Amino acid sequence: MADKHKDGDHHHSGDHGHDHAAAPMVDEISDFEILELAVRELAIEKGLFTAEDHRAFSEWNDARSPAAGSRMVARAWTDPAYKARVFDDPLNASKEVGVDWSEPSGFGTTSDYMHLTVLEDTPTLHHVIVCTLCSCYPRPILGHSPYWYRAPNYRRRIVRWPREVLAEFGLIVPPEVELRVEDSNAKSRFMVLPVRPEGTEGWTEDQLAEIVTRDTMIGIAMPKPGRTTDGPRPIHRASRPVHSGGRPTEAPK
């Protein structure tokens, strides 16, 4: 990796006196970013919002995390009445952990999807969520989606070979456990309420929330005492990967 310097004028040893112009210290900007900048500046000029409004909203957006979802799961594990509300009325149950789906940003910006379903795992049933169309994801409750969730290799393969794909993440679902893949869409979102792991008896809600990671609420991992982050994991070679042509490779015969 090339060294970066604050000053543009510098020499490398062995250059024999030849000057090399420093590359401009800017990142490459995409066409979409240029379009966003133009629309943003126009909106500010027309008075739709101020530059300060944009800064505050951007900071809120960047700070979103799965913490509210973790809290929801932990409370459902410890409070049967709250667990019933999670399944009967998940939007109102979300408010109890600080998320209002009708105005998730706090800036008067409503969510464009208002149907959340919480999927309960059991010892004999495991759920995993996906969006095969694009990247629909319950952002108000789980924060930003991981990069692999939006990738074709996950979106196209998890619905066809779910056990193999989950194994690539390190999760082996026994054949006697039913596996259901729930596909999100423009108006519906899903999250998984995983099985509470053994060895957590007597734990507080705060302790339980720490082991409910984002991936456990997507369904590609299981909560485990002592594991409070989503990675890194062992890397397993993909079976039937999607290549540049967009078609999964069939298994060798």
Side-chain angles (χ1 to χ4, degrees), residues 75-89:
R75 188 167 300 175
W77 282 345
T78 58
D79 184 343
Y82 179 73
K83 182 178 181 179
R85 293 195 295 276
V86 165
F87 297 126
D88 294 340
D89 192 351

Side-chain angles (χ1 to χ4, degrees), residues 13-250:
S13 61
D15 281 347
H16 305 294
H18 295 290
D19 292 332
H20 297 275
M25 296 297 290
V26 294
D27 294 326
E28 183 178 352
I29 188 168
S30 69
D31 291 341
F32 292 106
E33 290 172 310
I34 294 173
L35 178 61
E36 186 275 329
L37 286 170
V39 172
R40 183 205 315 172
E41 291 175 358
L42 180 61
I44 292 173
E45 179 182 330
K46 296 296 184 180
L48 299 180
F49 55 80
T50 66
E52 175 61 20
D53 292 335
H54 181 270
R55 182 198 62 79
F57 183 87
S58 297
E59 289 181 354
W60 166 82
N61 184 62
D62 292 342
R64 286 194 289 182
S65 77
S70 301
R71 179 69 57 183
M72 175 183 280
V73 171
R75 188 167 300 175
W77 282 345
T78 58
D79 184 343
Y82 179 73
K83 182 178 181 179
R85 293 195 295 276
V86 165
F87 297 126
D88 294 340
D89 192 351
L91 296 185
N92 275 324
S94 298
K95 291 181 180 179
E96 298 184 46
V97 293
V99 173
D100 185 349
W101 283 69
S102 65
E103 193 177 322
S105 68
F107 296 94
T109 305
T110 58
S111 173
D112 62 348
Y113 37 85
M114 291 292 294
H115 184 76
L116 172 67
T117 301
V118 179
L119 309 165
E120 183 180 18
D121 281 354
T122 72
T124 59
L125 174 63
H126 184 82
H127 295 89
V128 60
I129 66 173
V130 66
C131 176
T132 55
L133 180 63
C134 52
S135 57
C136 298
Y137 187 76
R139 287 189 295 271
I141 199 77
L142 294 190
H144 295 287
S145 61
Y147 72 93
W148 51 260
Y149 183 88
R150 305 185 295 272
N153 259 315
Y154 176 78
R155 290 163 37 216
R156 300 177 186 178
R157 296 167 60 244
I158 190 69
V159 294
R160 298 184 65 183
W161 305 289
R163 293 180 191 273
E164 291 91 337
V165 174
L166 290 179
E168 292 165 17
F169 283 103
L171 178 61
I172 306 300
V173 180
E176 64 271 17
V177 175
E178 181 183 354
L179 184 55
R180 295 181 185 173
V181 180
E182 294 290 346
D183 194 359
S184 307
N185 57 53
K187 293 297 180 182
S188 296
R189 299 294 188 270
F190 300 95
M191 66 169 280
V192 176
L193 196 156
V195 175
R196 179 173 176 172
E198 296 181 359
T200 61
E201 297 79 9
W203 282 27
T204 65
E205 182 179 308
D206 287 342
Q207 289 175 305
L208 291 169
E210 288 184 357
I211 65 170
V212 183
T213 66
R214 176 202 65 204
D215 288 359
T216 67
M217 294 179 282
I218 295 175
I220 65 141
M222 298 288 288
K224 184 178 180 180
R227 186 170 65 193
T228 59
T229 64
D230 281 321
R233 291 192 186 83
I235 297 176
H236 303 272
R237 184 176 181 180
S239 59
R240 306 184 181 95
V242 174
H243 295 296
S244 58
R247 297 180 62 85
T249 302
E250 296 298 331

